[in-house]
mmCIF file of all heavy atoms in Angstrom:
data_model
loop_
_atom_site.group_PDB
_atom_site.id
_atom_site.type_symbol
_atom_site.label_atom_id
_atom_site.label_comp_id
_atom_site.label_asym_id
_atom_site.label_seq_id
_atom_site.Cartn_x
_atom_site.Cartn_y
_atom_site.Cartn_z
ATOM 1 N N LEU Q 5 5.285 15.137 34.776
ATOM 2 C CA LEU Q 5 5.955 14.040 35.430
ATOM 3 C C LEU Q 5 4.993 12.916 35.514
ATOM 4 O O LEU Q 5 5.390 11.690 35.519
ATOM 5 C CB LEU Q 5 6.341 14.575 36.856
ATOM 6 C CG LEU Q 5 7.476 15.631 36.912
ATOM 7 C CD1 LEU Q 5 7.726 16.099 38.320
ATOM 8 C CD2 LEU Q 5 8.741 14.862 36.357
ATOM 9 N N ARG Q 29 10.433 12.423 25.535
ATOM 10 C CA ARG Q 29 10.277 13.392 24.385
ATOM 11 C C ARG Q 29 9.304 12.850 23.374
ATOM 12 O O ARG Q 29 9.033 13.624 22.417
ATOM 13 C CB ARG Q 29 11.595 13.764 23.848
ATOM 14 C CG ARG Q 29 12.509 14.589 24.660
ATOM 15 C CD ARG Q 29 13.721 15.066 23.938
ATOM 16 N NE ARG Q 29 14.523 13.904 23.677
ATOM 17 C CZ ARG Q 29 15.667 13.989 22.819
ATOM 18 N NH1 ARG Q 29 16.008 15.119 22.189
ATOM 19 N NH2 ARG Q 29 16.497 12.926 22.591
ATOM 20 N N ILE Q 80 -1.109 -2.286 3.638
ATOM 21 C CA ILE Q 80 -1.490 -2.223 5.108
ATOM 22 C C ILE Q 80 -2.787 -1.460 5.247
ATOM 23 O O ILE Q 80 -3.074 -0.445 4.422
ATOM 24 C CB ILE Q 80 -0.349 -1.625 5.931
ATOM 25 C CG1 ILE Q 80 -0.072 -0.089 5.577
ATOM 26 C CG2 ILE Q 80 1.035 -2.445 5.781
ATOM 27 C CD1 ILE Q 80 0.891 0.582 6.515
ATOM 28 N N GLY Q 97 -3.138 0.631 18.316
ATOM 29 C CA GLY Q 97 -3.774 0.327 17.035
ATOM 30 C C GLY Q 97 -3.378 -1.103 16.638
ATOM 31 O O GLY Q 97 -2.558 -1.783 17.286
ATOM 32 N N ASP Q 134 18.637 14.040 16.750
ATOM 33 C CA ASP Q 134 18.713 12.706 16.078
ATOM 34 C C ASP Q 134 18.620 11.602 17.206
ATOM 35 O O ASP Q 134 19.374 11.536 18.116
ATOM 36 C CB ASP Q 134 19.883 12.615 15.287
ATOM 37 C CG ASP Q 134 19.931 13.441 14.151
ATOM 38 O OD1 ASP Q 134 18.929 14.154 13.776
ATOM 39 O OD2 ASP Q 134 21.090 13.707 13.479
ATOM 40 N N THR Q 139 16.886 3.314 19.520
ATOM 41 C CA THR Q 139 15.878 4.223 20.254
ATOM 42 C C THR Q 139 14.812 4.536 19.337
ATOM 43 O O THR Q 139 13.622 4.517 19.843
ATOM 44 C CB THR Q 139 16.562 5.495 20.762
ATOM 45 O OG1 THR Q 139 17.581 5.050 21.696
ATOM 46 C CG2 THR Q 139 15.487 6.318 21.533
ATOM 47 N N THR Q 143 9.509 4.345 18.930
ATOM 48 C CA THR Q 143 8.474 5.229 18.560
ATOM 49 C C THR Q 143 7.262 4.402 17.876
ATOM 50 O O THR Q 143 6.185 5.021 17.921
ATOM 51 C CB THR Q 143 8.956 6.335 17.699
ATOM 52 O OG1 THR Q 143 9.553 5.662 16.397
ATOM 53 C CG2 THR Q 143 10.109 7.141 18.307
ATOM 54 N N TYR Q 194 -3.629 -27.937 -12.205
ATOM 55 C CA TYR Q 194 -3.538 -27.332 -10.989
ATOM 56 C C TYR Q 194 -4.440 -26.141 -10.931
ATOM 57 O O TYR Q 194 -4.065 -25.046 -11.044
ATOM 58 C CB TYR Q 194 -2.051 -26.920 -10.627
ATOM 59 C CG TYR Q 194 -1.806 -26.670 -9.135
ATOM 60 C CD1 TYR Q 194 -1.898 -27.633 -8.190
ATOM 61 C CD2 TYR Q 194 -1.548 -25.386 -8.684
ATOM 62 C CE1 TYR Q 194 -1.681 -27.450 -6.849
ATOM 63 C CE2 TYR Q 194 -1.352 -25.169 -7.335
ATOM 64 C CZ TYR Q 194 -1.429 -26.169 -6.479
ATOM 65 O OH TYR Q 194 -1.170 -26.022 -5.066
ATOM 66 N N ILE Q 232 -15.704 -14.182 -2.120
ATOM 67 C CA ILE Q 232 -17.076 -13.928 -2.484
ATOM 68 C C ILE Q 232 -17.257 -13.589 -3.914
ATOM 69 O O ILE Q 232 -18.252 -14.101 -4.510
ATOM 70 C CB ILE Q 232 -17.548 -12.880 -1.463
ATOM 71 C CG1 ILE Q 232 -17.326 -13.163 -0.036
ATOM 72 C CG2 ILE Q 232 -19.026 -12.477 -1.794
ATOM 73 C CD1 ILE Q 232 -17.713 -12.055 0.975
ATOM 74 N N VAL Q 254 5.015 -12.784 -16.760
ATOM 75 C CA VAL Q 254 6.431 -13.007 -17.344
ATOM 76 C C VAL Q 254 6.739 -12.062 -18.500
ATOM 77 O O VAL Q 254 7.698 -11.434 -18.549
ATOM 78 C CB VAL Q 254 6.686 -14.352 -17.590
ATOM 79 C CG1 VAL Q 254 8.155 -14.516 -18.210
ATOM 80 C CG2 VAL Q 254 6.601 -15.262 -16.348
ATOM 81 N N GLN Q 265 2.139 -5.137 -13.563
ATOM 82 C CA GLN Q 265 1.742 -3.724 -13.397
ATOM 83 C C GLN Q 265 0.275 -3.586 -13.315
ATOM 84 O O GLN Q 265 -0.348 -2.880 -14.096
ATOM 85 C CB GLN Q 265 2.294 -2.824 -14.635
ATOM 86 C CG GLN Q 265 3.807 -2.851 -14.738
ATOM 87 C CD GLN Q 265 4.534 -1.847 -13.902
ATOM 88 O OE1 GLN Q 265 4.320 -0.751 -13.969
ATOM 89 N NE2 GLN Q 265 5.307 -2.454 -13.011
ATOM 90 N N SER Q 298 5.302 5.396 -20.224
ATOM 91 C CA SER Q 298 4.218 4.790 -19.514
ATOM 92 C C SER Q 298 3.662 5.690 -18.410
ATOM 93 O O SER Q 298 3.132 5.142 -17.380
ATOM 94 C CB SER Q 298 4.717 3.455 -18.803
ATOM 95 O OG SER Q 298 5.807 3.711 -17.944
ATOM 96 N N ARG Q 302 -4.367 4.699 -15.231
ATOM 97 C CA ARG Q 302 -5.834 4.964 -15.011
ATOM 98 C C ARG Q 302 -6.268 4.686 -13.561
ATOM 99 O O ARG Q 302 -5.803 3.742 -12.913
ATOM 100 C CB ARG Q 302 -6.496 3.998 -15.986
ATOM 101 C CG ARG Q 302 -6.267 4.148 -17.467
ATOM 102 C CD ARG Q 302 -7.076 3.227 -18.280
ATOM 103 N NE ARG Q 302 -6.685 3.265 -19.773
ATOM 104 C CZ ARG Q 302 -7.505 3.176 -20.774
ATOM 105 N NH1 ARG Q 302 -8.882 3.139 -20.478
ATOM 106 N NH2 ARG Q 302 -7.051 3.283 -21.980
ATOM 107 N N THR Q 326 11.484 10.557 -13.701
ATOM 108 C CA THR Q 326 12.820 10.959 -13.322
ATOM 109 C C THR Q 326 13.444 11.992 -14.233
ATOM 110 O O THR Q 326 13.199 12.029 -15.410
ATOM 111 C CB THR Q 326 13.702 9.637 -13.262
ATOM 112 O OG1 THR Q 326 13.828 9.146 -14.644
ATOM 113 C CG2 THR Q 326 13.199 8.570 -12.400
ATOM 114 N N PHE Q 346 -6.628 12.328 -3.644
ATOM 115 C CA PHE Q 346 -5.979 11.172 -3.289
ATOM 116 C C PHE Q 346 -4.441 11.347 -2.892
ATOM 117 O O PHE Q 346 -3.808 12.290 -3.356
ATOM 118 C CB PHE Q 346 -6.008 10.051 -4.460
ATOM 119 C CG PHE Q 346 -7.393 9.982 -4.980
ATOM 120 C CD1 PHE Q 346 -7.944 10.817 -5.900
ATOM 121 C CD2 PHE Q 346 -8.136 8.828 -4.617
ATOM 122 C CE1 PHE Q 346 -9.249 10.579 -6.374
ATOM 123 C CE2 PHE Q 346 -9.365 8.491 -4.979
ATOM 124 C CZ PHE Q 346 -9.987 9.472 -5.928
ATOM 125 N N THR Q 377 -10.865 14.629 -16.904
ATOM 126 C CA THR Q 377 -11.878 14.121 -17.727
ATOM 127 C C THR Q 377 -12.226 12.740 -17.246
ATOM 128 O O THR Q 377 -11.395 11.838 -17.116
ATOM 129 C CB THR Q 377 -11.410 14.038 -19.185
ATOM 130 O OG1 THR Q 377 -11.017 15.397 -19.608
ATOM 131 C CG2 THR Q 377 -12.470 13.500 -20.193
ATOM 132 N N LYS Q 437 11.464 -0.619 -1.540
ATOM 133 C CA LYS Q 437 10.187 -0.722 -2.037
ATOM 134 C C LYS Q 437 9.218 -0.379 -1.031
ATOM 135 O O LYS Q 437 8.814 -1.165 -0.119
ATOM 136 C CB LYS Q 437 9.969 -2.111 -2.574
ATOM 137 C CG LYS Q 437 10.869 -2.527 -3.762
ATOM 138 C CD LYS Q 437 10.683 -4.006 -4.130
ATOM 139 C CE LYS Q 437 9.306 -4.272 -4.726
ATOM 140 N NZ LYS Q 437 9.166 -5.614 -5.126
ATOM 141 N N THR Q 493 -1.354 17.452 7.564
ATOM 142 C CA THR Q 493 -2.560 18.208 7.796
ATOM 143 C C THR Q 493 -3.235 18.065 6.427
ATOM 144 O O THR Q 493 -2.770 18.376 5.400
ATOM 145 C CB THR Q 493 -2.226 19.650 8.078
ATOM 146 O OG1 THR Q 493 -1.455 19.797 9.284
ATOM 147 C CG2 THR Q 493 -3.548 20.466 8.226
#
Side-chain angles (χ1 to χ4, degrees):
L5 290 173
R29 290 188 291 169
I80 66 170
D134 294 348
T139 299
T143 60
Y194 196 65
I232 298 174
V254 176
Q265 300 279 296
S298 61
R302 301 184 186 220
T326 59
F346 305 83
T377 306
K437 298 176 64 175
T493 303

